[in-house]
Amino acid sequence: MALIHLAILLPLIAAIAIGVIYRYYKRLHLGWFVLPVPLIIVIYLLTLIPRVSSNQLIYESLAIMPRIGMNFDVYIDGLGLLFAILISGIGALVVLYSIGYLSHREDLGSFYVYLLMFMSAMLGVVLNDNVLMLYLFWELTSISSFLLIAFWFMKERSLYGAQKSMLITMGGGFLMLGGFILLYIMTGTFSIREMLNQVSAIQESPLAPLAVVLILFGAFTKSAQFPFYIWLPDAMEAPTPVSAYLHSATMVKAGIYLVARLTPLFAFSELWVWIILLGGLITMAWASFNAIRKDDLKAVLAFSTVSQLGLIMSLLGLGALSVVTGANEEYFSIAVVAAVFHLINHATFKGALFMVTGIVDHEAGTRSLKKLGGLLTVMPVSFTLTLITALSMAGLPPFNGFLSKELFLEAMIHVGDANFSALADVAFIFPLLAIVGSIFTFIYSILLIYGVFFGKRTYDTPKEPHEAPALMLISPAILTVLVLVFGFFPNVLSGTIIDPAAMSIMASDTPLETHLYMWHGFANPALWATVFIVITGTLLFYFRDKWMFIYDYHKDRFTLNYLYDQGLIYSRFGSRKITDSYMSGFIRSYLVYIFLFFIVMGILTLLNTGIRISFDDMAPVGIHEMAVVLIILVSIAVILGTKSRMVSIIMLGAIGFSMSLFFVFFRAADLALTQLAIETVTTALFLVCFYHLPKNSRHQERMRFKLTNFLVSLGVALIVIIIGLTAYSNQLFDRISEFHIENVYELAAGGNMVNVILVDFRGFDTLFETLVFGIAGIGIYSLMKLRLNRKDGNNEEHAEESRI
């Protein structure tokens, strides 16, 4: 195991220690013990930047299940390193912020254990080269995020949001696994690096389109793309540190990572390019349009996140064009650079905005825009942080969001230059959607600033607002400083972080030599697009009361949320109806289903393989064997006819003892002794138990003949007989007994073959059988102790039950 493996697993290891610490030490906030974990990881990852930026890729393998190709293979290039730094870096800030946000009254142990689980899972997703391991970590993010969203499980909305996120993201993940399996079928490997060497095989395979669709299901559900975005706004019921971490910087970007990582594999596919490009732009425009109508600050930010993710996704769609048409296509290379840069920028300004929103909620007691307003003088530091980060989100200079937004607009305006499919014919749609989405992004960004800090105080907040303590302000302040630094000095990232990540997406070794700057001259169309967005957005914001009525036409019953809720209701109703139709509550019914399935499968198997029965090698049947069979048949007839439990048990014992005689006849003395011992013990126990059981039914039970049961039992008997005769007549493999005879002394140095089989060849089987006996013994001992504890005069009835 290499150091990078330990870095990925460190949060999981720490989660165990954190659970122990929280149990025995609660004087200091648990977050202080958690904080060093992401700090250590991010410092270690930062030391890898020089190696990765000089094209020295890091690869470490750890075999887990090599026979099925499932290895813990860590592969670090520019793309993986960027995501890993974001996960650990933002994670450290979120942990610091949570120390001020969560009080000791919360279940801090569970919170940080879930958070550390999530951190390990995300690191495993972005640093793994094996798609099977990637899938395992992928689903671990869904499970841990479910636990985090449902952290306040007393609230119904938290449980609803957690369930919704898990159903949608895990459903997409399951489909994604199907895509990975198709990739394995096409390439014969689970390694992404090795798949990259077989792009031509994927391109020629008829399975490629299906693989594209299945994998994009996983990416779109995880990154909340249209129409799967509906889980993200409901996930905002989670504590704000969770929202800042999972829903702004990490989990929702897992789908973005997957698309970026697999772009070199699927960029040849028009399906891939069209789905990502159009899906991303529609998501951006639709989510930003819906963000404005929300009253909850976190809901606004949730739709904002969906919109920004759509922006990045569309840029990756354009970036795919750079791969398929050549890495030197300038505008499409710009798109990839813009995607990577906006990924970083979004993590900074959106993380800070979520944290400031949490501060407002924490200090004012509400996130409702109707109750907030006029907090500029009350919370000046929070206002400053919001002003800078929200304007960056709106794409205004001199902040980092302006730089990446301008690159985005520039790429969309020039999309018609691509010589790709029918792109040139519909090229006007892309800048149109980009500008419309950007206008609404500008409006909700201004709304966040104005709605909270300007206007008249409502004095309708549950708490008297005041500025947050310094501990809660440090993390958003650091992110805000990064917004400024990356805005004024963007090239600190270009050569070290952005270019290596962009080159990984384009699978190119050619240095991009990116140089970012604010001013591109008046001839730049992106500049005028920005001016148009600002002017139009300002006018629409000022006259918003004149046009907001259009949202009234969007009725709830026409929303995707309504469709999801109704789907859940009717699926539950339908599944209950189906289940009630065959789950009668009687064991006899379930046995009929099981035996019917056995009969059907047996008939199908026999029809496919044929029936070949030979009586040549069978031994003659003696009179003593026929006598034993007659005893068994008589015993069965008595069991069916008798109304006494005791007689039935005795007859069952007679069948078992008769079976042991067969072992004697066939000279299997050990089996005969075992059978006799078991029959003796079980018959005695059953007799004792049933003798003391009360007679619950006062009515006489009538045994009626049921044709269905008779046919099923007859079918089972015939199938078993045929299978037995067929197995005996067709020797497909060498007898295992020959192996035992030849190796009993050679391998185990034993003279008694039965003992050697039990102790050596089937040693583990015997061990687990012994374990079962041990567990049964513990259970019996527990029941005996339970009887003693309940033996009191006031509870004679329960004492009697316990004794029985």
Side-chain angles (χ1 to χ4, degrees):
M1 180 178 289
L3 195 58
I4 187 62
H5 290 117
L6 284 176
I8 295 172
L9 299 177
L10 180 61
L12 274 181
I13 298 169
I16 301 171
I18 290 300
V20 175
I21 291 172
Y22 184 66
R23 187 177 181 84
Y24 297 104
Y25 187 82
K26 297 185 179 179
R27 296 179 61 183
L28 190 64
H29 196 288
L30 195 61
W32 293 113
F33 295 99
V34 179
L35 185 58
V37 176
L39 279 177
I40 292 171
I41 297 172
V42 74
I43 291 170
Y44 168 68
L45 292 171
L46 289 174
T47 62
L48 301 179
I49 289 179
R51 292 174 60 186
V52 173
S53 59
S54 59
N55 283 333
Q56 296 180 30
L57 306 181
I58 301 167
Y59 179 77
E60 298 288 348
S61 180
L62 177 65
I64 296 179
M65 297 181 186
R67 293 185 65 181
I68 62 170
M70 185 172 175
N71 299 319
F72 192 3
D73 298 335
V74 177
Y75 173 65
I76 301 182
D77 59 356
L79 184 64
L81 185 62
L82 164 63
F83 275 86
I85 290 174
L86 284 179
I87 292 162
S88 50
I90 300 293
L93 295 176
V94 166
V95 171
L96 179 63
Y97 174 79
S98 69
I99 296 172
Y101 186 87
L102 294 172
S103 72
H104 285 83
R105 293 189 297 274
E106 304 282 2
D107 183 6
L108 297 178
S110 299
F111 178 80
Y112 286 114
V113 166
Y114 302 155
L115 197 73
L116 289 169
M117 278 174 55
F118 175 81
M119 195 178 295
S120 261
M122 277 304 303
L123 288 171
V125 167
V126 301
L127 295 179
N128 231 303
D129 180 56
N130 189 289
V131 291
L132 286 182
M133 288 297 293
L134 188 153
Y135 172 72
L136 284 182
F137 282 113
W138 183 281
E139 294 300 28
L140 184 58
T141 63
S142 298
I143 295 169
S144 51
S145 71
F146 168 82
L147 295 170
L148 286 167
I149 296 168
F151 179 68
W152 287 327
F153 58 87
M154 302 76 66
K155 297 164 63 177
E156 187 179 349
R157 293 300 301 176
S158 295
L159 294 177
Y160 175 79
Q163 182 199 45
K164 197 174 190 178
S165 70
M166 189 174 71
L167 286 177
I168 294 176
T169 58
M170 293 194 82
F174 188 68
L175 293 175
M176 181 188 73
L177 177 63
F180 287 162
I181 293 172
L182 290 180
L183 275 176
Y184 174 78
I185 293 172
M186 289 184 273
T187 62
T189 178
F190 289 116
S191 166
I192 297 175
R193 288 189 317 128
E194 294 177 12
M195 289 176 187
L196 287 174
N197 297 326
Q198 302 185 53
V199 174
S200 58
I202 300 172
Q203 192 170 358
E204 294 168 2
S205 173
L207 297 174
L210 182 58
V212 165
V213 172
L214 292 177
I215 289 173
L216 286 182
F217 262 116
F220 272 42
T221 50
K222 202 74 162 181
S223 283
Q225 297 296 288
F226 187 90
F228 308 107
Y229 68 89
I230 55 174
W231 67 267
L232 188 56
D234 288 301
M236 293 299 127
E237 295 297 329
T240 298
V242 176
S243 303
Y245 191 37
L246 275 67
H247 307 138
S248 70
T250 52
M251 179 176 146
V252 289
K253 292 198 171 78
I256 300 286
Y257 165 80
L258 187 69
V259 170
R261 174 60 75 199
L262 300 185
T263 290
L265 282 182
F266 292 116
F268 66 85
S269 168
E270 292 185 13
L271 187 64
W272 175 270
V273 174
W274 280 112
I275 290 177
I276 296 173
L277 187 54
L278 272 179
L281 278 176
I282 291 171
T283 302
M284 177 200 173
W286 178 251
S288 60
F289 173 73
N290 279 280
I292 299 169
R293 66 186 300 192
K294 298 299 174 186
D295 175 59
D296 188 325
L297 280 174
K298 285 181 74 174
V300 175
L301 290 178
F303 275 95
S304 161
T305 299
V306 174
S307 174
Q308 300 292 320
L309 293 172
L311 184 155
I312 299 170
M313 191 68 83
S314 66
L315 284 170
L316 289 175
L318 278 182
L321 289 177
S322 72
V323 178
V324 71
T325 57
N328 292 325
E329 293 287 338
E330 182 183 359
Y331 294 118
F332 310 130
S333 300
I334 287 175
V336 177
V337 170
V340 174
F341 192 29
H342 200 71
L343 194 76
I344 301 168
N345 296 338
H346 180 255
T348 55
F349 64 67
K350 188 54 65 66
L353 281 171
F354 265 115
M355 292 180 189
V356 173
T357 299
I359 288 173
V360 172
D361 186 21
H362 197 268
E363 305 305 329
T366 181
R367 301 194 304 260
S368 172
L369 285 167
K370 293 176 182 174
K371 297 180 179 179
L372 295 169
L375 300 183
L376 172 60
T377 55
V378 180
M379 306 176 73
V381 178
S382 299
F383 163 71
T384 306
L385 301 178
T386 305
L387 180 69
I388 294 171
T389 51
L391 292 181
S392 176
M393 183 168 65
L396 295 182
F399 310 111
N400 57 354
F402 168 75
L403 289 166
S404 50
K405 182 65 78 65
E406 193 175 48
L407 291 173
F408 163 71
L409 292 171
E410 187 175 354
M412 288 298 162
I413 290 170
H414 289 94
V415 70
D417 298 344
N419 182 20
F420 181 79
S421 185
L423 198 61
D425 299 332
V426 292
F428 71 94
I429 295 176
F430 302 99
L432 179 64
L433 287 173
I435 290 174
V436 169
S438 299
I439 289 172
F440 286 106
T441 301
F442 178 86
I443 296 173
Y444 68 67
S445 299
I446 302 301
L447 186 66
L448 283 174
I449 302 169
Y450 183 85
V452 178
F453 297 102
F454 290 95
K456 293 181 180 179
R457 286 277 302 274
T458 62
Y459 296 98
D460 192 24
T461 55
K463 296 180 183 177
E464 180 60 30
H466 56 81
E467 191 56 271
L471 191 57
M472 293 182 68
L473 291 168
I474 292 174
S475 295
I478 291 173
L479 290 171
T480 306
V481 169
L482 291 178
V483 168
L484 293 169
V485 170
F486 295 159
F488 286 105
F489 310 103
N491 293 307
V492 297
L493 296 172
S494 57
T496 53
I497 298 290
I498 296 174
D499 279 359
M503 289 163 63
S504 299
I505 297 172
M506 294 188 291
S508 170
D509 295 329
T510 306
L512 294 176
E513 298 180 352
T514 301
H515 186 70
L516 301 167
Y517 46 93
M518 292 274 180
W519 180 250
H520 295 85
F522 289 109
N524 182 19
L527 171 67
W528 298 109
T530 303
V531 171
F532 176 76
I533 290 165
V534 172
I535 293 173
T536 309
T538 304
L539 291 173
L540 287 174
F541 177 76
Y542 186 78
F543 295 107
R544 61 187 182 282
D545 294 337
K546 306 291 185 186
W547 58 270
M548 289 286 282
F549 67 89
I550 60 175
Y551 291 104
D552 297 336
Y553 292 103
H554 190 196
K555 303 296 183 185
D556 286 342
R557 63 177 178 274
F558 298 125
T559 61
L560 291 168
N561 275 314
Y562 181 80
L563 186 64
Y564 167 83
D565 292 336
Q566 294 300 306
L568 274 188
I569 292 171
Y570 281 102
S571 63
R572 280 199 295 264
F573 177 76
S575 60
R576 184 178 301 166
K577 293 287 286 184
I578 294 172
T579 304
D580 290 347
S581 66
Y582 65 90
M583 297 296 284
S584 62
F586 295 103
I587 295 177
R588 65 174 74 96
S589 302
Y590 308 146
L591 287 175
V592 169
Y593 304 148
I594 294 170
F595 286 137
L596 273 175
F597 180 76
F598 174 75
I599 292 170
V600 171
M601 294 305 296
I603 291 173
L604 290 175
T605 304
L606 293 173
L607 288 176
N608 284 331
T609 58
I611 302 174
R612 291 186 295 274
I613 297 176
S614 171
F615 296 95
D616 297 339
D617 297 331
M618 290 191 179
V621 180
I623 187 69
H624 53 291
E625 292 161 343
M626 294 179 66
V628 174
V629 170
L630 183 62
I631 293 172
I632 293 175
L633 292 175
V634 170
S635 301
I636 293 172
V638 172
I639 291 172
L640 293 174
T642 186
K643 297 176 182 177
S644 167
R645 294 171 177 168
M646 307 304 290
V647 174
S648 296
I649 293 169
I650 292 170
M651 290 298 103
L652 275 175
I655 295 172
F657 288 123
S658 302
M659 288 299 297
S660 65
L661 289 177
F662 278 114
F663 294 132
V664 174
F665 297 155
F666 296 134
R667 293 179 296 176
D670 55 324
L671 290 178
L673 288 172
T674 306
Q675 180 78 15
L676 285 170
I678 290 172
E679 287 301 330
T680 304
V681 172
T682 53
T683 303
L685 286 176
F686 279 142
L687 284 172
V688 172
C689 292
F690 278 82
Y691 177 76
H692 290 285
L693 277 180
K695 291 185 178 179
N696 291 327
S697 176
R698 297 179 181 177
H699 304 288
Q700 191 74 24
E701 290 188 9
R702 297 179 60 188
M703 295 287 291
R704 291 184 299 178
F705 177 78
K706 292 186 176 180
L707 181 61
T708 306
N709 293 355
F710 173 74
L711 292 176
V712 169
S713 59
L714 186 64
V716 170
L718 289 174
I719 292 292
V720 169
I721 291 170
I722 293 172
I723 289 175
L725 292 174
T726 304
Y728 185 80
S729 304
N730 298 277
Q731 194 68 40
L732 301 177
F733 307 100
D734 294 335
R735 295 178 185 275
I736 189 70
S737 58
E738 297 298 328
F739 171 82
H740 289 150
I741 293 169
E742 293 174 1
N743 295 285
V744 66
Y745 186 78
E746 186 71 24
L747 296 180
N752 187 317
M753 189 166 64
V754 175
N755 288 346
V756 169
I757 292 172
L758 292 176
V759 178
D760 290 286
F761 294 149
R762 293 177 54 197
F764 281 112
D765 185 29
T766 307
L767 178 66
F768 287 119
E769 286 177 353
T770 308
L771 182 64
V772 170
F773 275 110
I775 293 172
I778 293 172
I780 293 170
Y781 178 76
S782 303
L783 288 173
M784 292 169 65
K785 297 294 290 183
L786 184 67
R787 180 182 67 84
L788 292 175
N789 291 338
R790 287 188 168 184
K791 191 174 182 181
D792 55 68
N794 298 327
N795 202 2
E796 287 296 330
E797 185 179 353
H798 290 296
E800 182 64 15
E801 289 178 2
S802 299
R803 187 182 65 80
I804 292 172

